[in-house]
Every structure is written in C-alpha cells, then in structure tokens.
Amino acid sequence: MKKWKYVVLGASLLLGACQPMGMKGGDTMKNSTDMTMKDKKEETKAMTTSAKAVDASFKTFDGKDVKLSDYKGKKVYIKVWASWCPTCLAGLAEIDSFAANHSDDTVVLSVVAPGVNREKKAEDFKEWFSGLEYKNLPVLMAEKPDFFKQVGVIGYPTSVFINANGELVQAHPGHLSNEDIQKQLDKM
C-alpha cells in the first residue's frame, strides 16, 4: 500500500499540482505542464507575497467557528487541499506526521472548501474523512472560497504560510515535503 502512495505521489509531482481552481468568469489558469518557464516564474512570483494581513473564518467538523486571527502570535502553516486530488491524498500521511510533531510556536492546519470546485458537500466530506487514519491534522472547512482568493490559491495542494503577525508570507502551489515546510517556517 505504501509503495502505491509513493508511485502516485511521484507521478503527481511530475505532472504538477492537481487541476487549478476556477478563476473569475470561469477562466482557469494553465496546468503546470502547459506553462512555459516564464509563466512558471511569473506564477511563483505572484504566489509569494509579503506583509499582507490575512484573516478568514472557517468551521470545524463540529460546527465551531475558527478565525485565523485566533492564532496571532504563532506561525501558521495551512495545507489547502481537496479529496479528489491525488497529489493531496498522497501527501496526507506526511502532513499528518508534521502536524503531530511541530514546534510550539507553530499551528498546522488544513483547509478544504466543501461544495466548491468539485469538492464533496460538507457532510459527505466529514464522513469520508472520518474513515481515514489521519488523526493529527486539523481539517477546517471554508464555507466561502474568499480565503482561497485572498491568498492566491490557484490549484491543489497549496501551502500557505502566515507569520505571527497574521500576514501572508507565501502561498506555494504544489506539494511540499515536511522538510521544506519546516525550512520556510524557520525563515519566518
């Protein structure tokens, strides 16, 4: 089973992130395999932001409201993902492990958008996720995709880094290893 996960992860990494999020007017960004090097550099540049305050509200599985501002004073790592994304699924065990072993000055979260961009409806997603073995990774639900637009998510997975002041440091499309996540957190 583990071997299969690595095959899927490797193939997904070669192909880039899962299908991009829809943009205004139904337009979509190009898949990373269709992009020129110039396009990729411009997209990466657009995904890196400095000192932009970010706040958003999410729901926990039990219906409680959670705001990003609740974590002010701590570094926040957020994995934005979808249940239908093979790259996301292949990386869940790794990020679950990271969530179990992060430092005290860091919060590790994941965010999905039920009912948006082919994602399961909230109740279906909760039932599906409860059958998985990932018990360390908090999953928050974005009821509105405003957060995704605010931080520049264009595809799944995306890693979002927010500093202790509540400012967006970087939104990085595609899978990041735990080592790369930690390196970025250490720079913040």
Side-chain angles (χ1 to χ4, degrees):
M1 186 65 154
K2 285 186 178 181
K3 187 176 183 179
W4 178 83
K5 287 181 183 178
Y6 291 115
V7 169
V8 170
L9 176 61
S12 297
L13 290 174
L14 288 173
L15 296 174
C18 291
Q19 181 177 349
M21 300 275 298
M23 303 303 282
K24 228 192 287 186
D27 294 338
T28 58
M29 296 292 290
K30 296 177 185 177
N31 285 316
S32 60
T33 53
D34 296 333
M35 299 173 85
T36 66
M37 286 304 283
K38 181 181 176 192
D39 290 336
K40 287 181 183 183
K41 284 179 184 175
E42 287 176 11
E43 180 179 313
T44 300
K45 187 189 236 181
M47 298 305 293
T48 303
T49 309
S50 177
K52 175 183 173 187
V54 175
D55 199 16
S57 295
F58 307 102
K59 292 273 188 198
T60 63
F61 281 1
D62 58 1
K64 293 180 183 167
D65 289 319
V66 174
K67 290 184 177 184
L68 283 179
S69 58
D70 296 342
Y71 303 112
K72 198 161 187 172
K74 294 193 177 234
K75 298 181 245 183
V76 180
Y77 168 74
I78 302 170
K79 177 178 181 145
V80 178
W81 64 287
S83 64
W84 52 261
C85 166
T87 304
C88 303
L89 297 177
L92 280 182
E94 188 174 16
I95 193 62
D96 186 63
S97 170
F98 188 78
N101 299 303
H102 62 83
S103 64
D104 290 340
D105 69 340
T106 302
V107 174
V108 177
L109 304 169
S110 71
V111 173
V112 296
V116 176
N117 198 31
R118 300 185 331 216
E119 184 54 83
K120 301 172 187 311
K121 300 287 183 199
E123 290 306 315
D124 294 335
F125 182 88
K126 289 189 276 187
E127 183 178 336
W128 170 80
F129 190 79
S130 70
L132 302 179
E133 56 195 58
Y134 310 117
K135 304 302 178 204
N136 302 303
L137 181 63
V139 179
L140 301 176
M141 297 180 292
E143 293 182 313
K144 300 175 189 171
D146 298 347
F147 169 72
F148 291 28
K149 291 176 185 173
Q150 188 178 14
V151 298
V153 173
I154 59 168
Y156 301 117
T158 294
S159 290
V160 178
F161 296 90
I162 298 172
N163 67 21
N165 296 323
E167 300 165 334
L168 176 65
V169 173
Q170 183 181 46
H172 185 279
H175 176 76
L176 286 179
S177 69
N178 287 355
E179 182 180 321
D180 289 335
I181 293 167
Q182 189 60 58
K183 282 179 186 175
Q184 179 62 36
L185 289 167
D186 289 344
K187 289 180 195 176
M188 294 171 35

